[in-house]
Amino acid sequence: METFHIHLHGDVLKIGFNPEKPATTDHIVRDVISRLKAMDDSGELAGGPLLKVNGPAPLPVCYTLAHHLANKYRTVAVFDPKAGAYVVSIAQSSTYGCGELIPADTPVVSSPIKVVLCGPPRSGKSCLRQGLKQAILKIANAPYPYVITACPDGEGAWFSEAAQRDPILARQLKDAYKAKFTPEFATLAAGWVCQTQNPLTLIDVGGKVTDENRQIMAQATHAIILSGDLEQISTWETFCQSVGLTVLAQVHSNYEAEHDHVVSETAGFITGQVHHLERGEDISTRPMVQALARHILQQLPTS
């Protein structure tokens, strides 16, 4: 069974992880090379003026694809959910220039779910974000949970996996990438959230009730409140409601606890406790995280 899906649909190369066969990146790269060779041998990747690539991939896989496709296609454009369009990344003719946007020709999702993970600082939002992503990926037929890091704290979607392998290096990189929260960044991040048409997006925001967070969160649809301080939950609930978000969950982040605990769950709302959110740890199998993952997917429109 392949670890990474690659299929050609017209002029779009659709790619993505196989959730039923997780693998390390080096293994995936070898499988990608094998799959591309098979597509070459069958004549499926015949080359031409334009190829559009759509789907998530690790950075080494992106390099592998670019090296292979640049020899066959004069223009290669990659879909960016934040822009809602394809960005020309390889341009070997005068038809397109690198950085040019090509409008997406895929159907627009009627009701995308955009879930903000919010709450006070040091509650473990980035840890929860990664755990939710991994838990959702393990659920059959779930859409890929696209992640937007809407706070300039240096802790992008890469951080948790890097911390599992080398926590010291991950911390050094985070400190190097950290920037200030400016109005310009808020406008940019709000545009990302507004433009994305992925069926499911998780948005990690800063830990303060600010105008910048208000601007960003107003483009989302739902919220999960995570707080180590129970008294601050009501403040964040009022803030979420003031920007028009539907609050899906209130979660107590209890670092010292030994177990998760789902307190209550209805069709539209869930409360509970998640324990010991520590960077670098896989929390995707914890009961509260799995309950939240299922709860988020229940909000998706039925076809």
Side-chain angles (χ1 to χ4, degrees):
M1 183 185 295
E2 59 190 9
T3 62
F4 195 80
H5 298 307
I6 306 178
H7 301 285
L8 187 64
H9 298 266
D11 63 353
V12 178
L13 189 70
K14 294 189 175 182
I15 63 175
F17 300 94
N18 182 355
E20 297 181 2
K21 191 174 182 182
T24 57
T25 304
D26 57 308
H27 187 170
I28 293 174
V29 166
R30 290 192 293 271
D31 281 358
V32 166
I33 292 172
S34 177
R35 170 64 178 154
L36 291 173
K37 184 179 184 303
M39 295 176 78
D40 285 343
D41 292 344
S42 69
E44 191 174 1
L45 283 180
L50 172 65
L51 182 70
K52 293 177 282 189
V53 181
N54 192 329
L59 188 58
V61 170
C62 295
Y63 273 80
T64 300
L65 289 169
H67 175 75
H68 192 88
L69 299 174
N71 296 322
K72 294 178 172 292
Y73 294 89
R74 292 191 291 277
T75 301
V76 177
V78 181
F79 185 72
D80 180 5
K82 293 177 180 176
Y86 290 90
V87 181
V88 174
S89 305
I90 298 173
Q92 303 178 108
S93 72
S94 59
T95 305
Y96 296 99
C98 280
E100 188 173 342
L101 295 180
I102 299 176
D105 50 9
T106 54
V108 175
V109 178
S110 59
S111 300
I113 300 298
K114 306 177 185 183
V115 183
V116 172
L117 305 180
C118 61
R122 295 176 294 280
S123 296
K125 294 188 295 294
S126 297
C127 295
L128 179 62
R129 175 196 68 197
Q130 181 66 12
L132 281 174
K133 178 180 177 180
Q134 295 303 319
I136 291 170
L137 285 172
K138 296 173 185 176
I139 298 175
N141 302 317
Y144 184 84
Y146 182 63
V147 170
I148 293 178
T149 304
C151 50
D153 64 356
E155 195 164 326
W158 56 271
F159 182 84
S160 291
E161 293 186 22
Q164 290 180 27
R165 294 166 175 79
D166 192 333
I168 295 176
L169 176 60
R171 169 57 64 176
Q172 291 173 343
L173 292 173
K174 172 179 175 172
D175 292 342
Y177 297 157
K178 191 169 185 177
K180 293 183 178 180
F181 215 136
T182 64
E184 291 78 13
F185 178 84
T187 298
L188 180 64
W192 293 341
V193 179
C194 178
Q195 290 291 335
T196 182
Q197 289 297 307
N198 274 39
L200 174 58
T201 302
L202 304 177
I203 304 116
D204 189 358
V205 298
K208 296 182 180 180
V209 175
T210 63
D211 289 340
E212 289 83 4
N213 268 344
R214 181 181 298 277
Q215 182 179 359
I216 295 167
M217 292 166 61
Q219 305 303 320
T221 60
H222 298 76
I224 291 174
I225 300 171
L226 177 72
S227 178
D229 182 356
L230 290 172
E231 294 183 356
Q232 293 199 45
I233 289 180
S234 61
T235 299
W236 281 91
E237 182 177 28
T238 300
F239 185 46
C240 291
Q241 292 172 346
S242 73
V243 296
L245 300 182
T246 299
V247 177
L248 294 177
Q250 295 177 357
V251 184
H252 180 209
S253 177
N254 189 340
Y255 187 83
E256 302 299 332
E258 296 183 358
H259 305 284
D260 282 17
H261 181 45
V262 179
V263 176
S264 65
E265 184 173 6
T266 65
F269 189 66
I270 184 172
T271 63
Q273 170 185 278
V274 63
H275 78 287
H276 196 77
L277 293 179
E278 180 65 39
R279 291 179 175 91
E281 290 190 9
D282 181 4
I283 66 168
S284 62
T285 60
R286 296 185 184 177
M288 189 64 200
V289 176
Q290 292 193 332
L292 284 171
R294 294 191 301 269
H295 192 68
I296 291 171
L297 295 180
Q298 289 171 2
Q299 313 310 311
L300 295 169
T302 57
S303 56

